[in-house]
């Protein structure tokens, strides 16, 4: 009796273990046992056919019995396919010339930067303003978040109630367009975003507004421009090769830049610079002593990511730095020696 009970126990256990894997097709009267297999990363119909049917060339039949697979080249981890427990499969009704391969959707990494609406930028000409800040409600010198402000309408476009506008200031700056000091020295206009305001009341020649997001203190004589919401998730994209440029200055004109500092570079859309690209910040090593003929490759001292682009300039953020970065630092590749022709760091 004990032997019979032991044998019955093992038979029952085997049935319980195998039964969840087996099912019957039940389609068109076919009772061939089958089970469902979950696709894993790296799986292909070609490999699964060889695994379950001892022949990779059975993959068209495996594709044929899984009608949910519209394309044999598109398999996604986590999806399930049906595997019939038979040595060979019927002739496929959906032949293909090439064996299938797994295709994993490409997911681009992103950088989340919640202050995108407050990104300042450099443009060759100032943006025409729609209005000018007259004063704060309590005549305060520095107007901050949730405070009321009066704005004179100076543009031809009326400022409408309920609409949002950016408050900004302008400042002329001079910078070198090339990598050498003084090379193609040009003037740009720094547009520094101060705050985001929404219009509460329109009185014709002026409006009453509230500061709803403060990036810097708003002051009288600041200007107003139209507002367009910017995406806070910046997708990382491959950088352009052979880039040769340098930093212009930091957003707040700091002498040294650390992590998360905002700055500007003298490269823009015309140089194939795009949002989400990451570039190296480099330091040149000047020759010393008698080793004047020895060329030392520049060192990577940090990395920046492009947040906003104009035609000739871009706004960037310091992602990392091995040492503090100074304005006018070089941007490029460590093996591109030709970028270092300036006497500034010699």
């Amino acid at each position: 009796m004990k032997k019979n009970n032991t044998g019955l126990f093992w038979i029952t256990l085997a049935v319980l273990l195998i039964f969840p894997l087996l099912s019957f097709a039940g389609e068109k009267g076919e009772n061939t046992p089958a089970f469902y297999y979950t696709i894993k990363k790296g799986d292909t119909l070609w490999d699964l056919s060889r695994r379950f049917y001892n022949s990779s060339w059975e993959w068209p039949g495996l594709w044929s019995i899984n009608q949910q697979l519209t394309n044999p080249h598109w398999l996604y981890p986590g999806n399930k396919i049906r595997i019939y427990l038979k040595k060979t499969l019927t002739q496929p009704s959906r032949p293909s010339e090439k064996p299938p391969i797994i295709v994993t959707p490409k997911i681009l990494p992103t950088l989340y930067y919640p202050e995108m609406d407050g990104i300042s930028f450099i443009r060759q000409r100032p943006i025409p303003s729609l209005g000018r800040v007259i004063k704060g409600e309590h005549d305060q010198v520095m107007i901050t978040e949730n405070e009321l402000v009066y704005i004179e309408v100076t543009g031809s476009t009326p400022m409408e109630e309920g609409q949002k506008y950016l408050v900004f200031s302008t400042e002329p700056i001079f910078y070198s367009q090339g990598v050498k000091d003084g090379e193609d020295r040009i003037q740009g206009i720094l547009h520094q975003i101060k705050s985001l305001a929404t219009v509460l009341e329109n009185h014709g020649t002026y409006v009453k507004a509230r500061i709803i997001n403060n990036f810097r203190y708003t002051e009288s004589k600041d200007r107003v421009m139209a507002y367009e919401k910017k995406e806070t998730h910046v997708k990382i994209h491959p950088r352009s090769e052979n880039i040769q440029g340098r930093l212009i200055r930091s957003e707040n004109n700091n002498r040294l830049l650390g992590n998360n500092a905002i700055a500007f570079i003298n490269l823009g859309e015309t140089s194939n610079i795009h949002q989400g690209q990451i570039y190296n910040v480099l330091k040149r090593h000047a020759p010393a002593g008698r080793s004047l003929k020895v060329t030392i490759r520049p060192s990577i001292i940090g990395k920046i990511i492009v947040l906003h682009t104009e035609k000739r300039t871009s706004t960037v953020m310091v992602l990392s730095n091995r040492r503090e970065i100074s304005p006018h630092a070089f941007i490029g590749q460590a093996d591109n020696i030709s970028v270092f022709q300036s006497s500034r760091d010699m």
Side-chain angles (χ1 to χ4, degrees), residues 46-282:
W46 177 269
D47 294 330
L48 293 177
S49 297
R50 180 174 54 189
R51 175 178 174 183
F52 292 109
Y53 304 112
N54 297 320
S55 173
S56 298
W57 297 104
E58 291 286 345
W59 74 262
L62 185 58
W63 179 34
S64 178
I65 62 178
N66 287 278
Q67 296 293 323
Q68 77 279 12
L69 300 178
T70 58
N71 191 321
H73 301 273
W74 290 62
L75 298 183
Y76 296 98
N79 289 354
K80 294 183 179 181
I81 62 172
R82 185 163 44 192
I83 306 292
Y84 283 121
L85 300 181
K86 54 194 300 187
K87 293 182 179 180
T88 58
L89 297 173
T90 57
Q91 182 66 25
S93 58
R94 303 183 300 180
S96 177
E97 296 180 357
K98 297 181 181 180
I101 57 173
I102 189 169
V103 176
T104 303
K106 186 176 181 180
I107 301 176
L108 292 176
T110 60
L111 169 75
Y112 174 65
Y113 187 69
E115 301 297 314
M116 282 295 292
D117 285 339
I119 288 293
S120 299
F121 55 90
I122 295 176
R123 188 173 288 189
Q124 297 307 303
R125 296 181 180 179
I127 293 179
S129 62
L130 303 176
R132 180 178 62 89
V133 174
I134 303 174
K135 66 171 195 139
E137 185 182 35
H138 303 294
D139 296 322
Q140 61 270 46
V141 177
M142 295 182 292
I143 309 165
T144 186
E145 196 166 314
N146 293 323
E147 293 183 339
L148 299 178
V149 62
Y150 294 95
I151 302 172
E152 178 187 7
V153 179
T154 59
S156 58
T157 303
M159 299 178 62
E160 301 179 359
E161 293 182 4
Q163 294 296 316
K164 297 177 182 178
Y165 297 88
L166 287 173
V167 180
F168 71 102
S169 64
T170 58
E171 174 190 350
I173 60 173
F174 293 89
Y175 64 92
S176 175
Q177 191 174 7
V179 295
K180 297 181 181 180
D181 289 330
E183 182 183 42
D184 299 327
R185 191 170 177 82
I186 61 175
Q187 176 180 336
I189 305 297
L190 170 62
H191 293 69
Q192 193 168 60
I193 307 301
K194 297 289 196 72
S195 59
L196 179 64
T198 183
V199 174
L200 303 178
E201 303 173 6
N202 189 326
H203 297 279
T205 58
Y206 75 94
V207 299
K208 184 178 182 181
R210 182 183 299 277
I211 304 297
I212 59 175
N213 197 349
N214 192 70
F215 307 110
R216 294 167 192 82
Y217 290 118
T218 298
E219 303 172 276
S220 61
K221 297 183 180 180
D222 282 342
R223 303 180 183 186
V224 177
M225 72 170 75
Y227 167 70
E228 292 184 7
K229 177 65 178 176
K230 293 183 178 179
E231 178 58 51
T232 56
H233 289 80
V234 178
K235 294 183 178 180
I236 308 302
H237 292 284
R239 67 184 183 184
S240 300
E241 299 299 326
N242 300 320
I243 289 300
Q244 303 180 15
R246 57 193 312 171
L247 291 170
I248 298 174
R249 54 163 278 182
S250 69
E251 186 177 36
N252 298 319
N253 205 19
N254 297 326
R255 296 181 61 184
L256 297 174
L257 289 74
N259 283 352
N260 302 323
I262 302 298
F264 312 101
I265 61 175
N266 62 350
L267 301 169
E269 296 168 359
T270 56
S271 300
N272 202 26
I273 301 295
H274 302 286
Q275 184 189 64
Q277 293 176 333
I278 296 176
Y279 293 98
N280 294 324
V281 182
L282 307 171

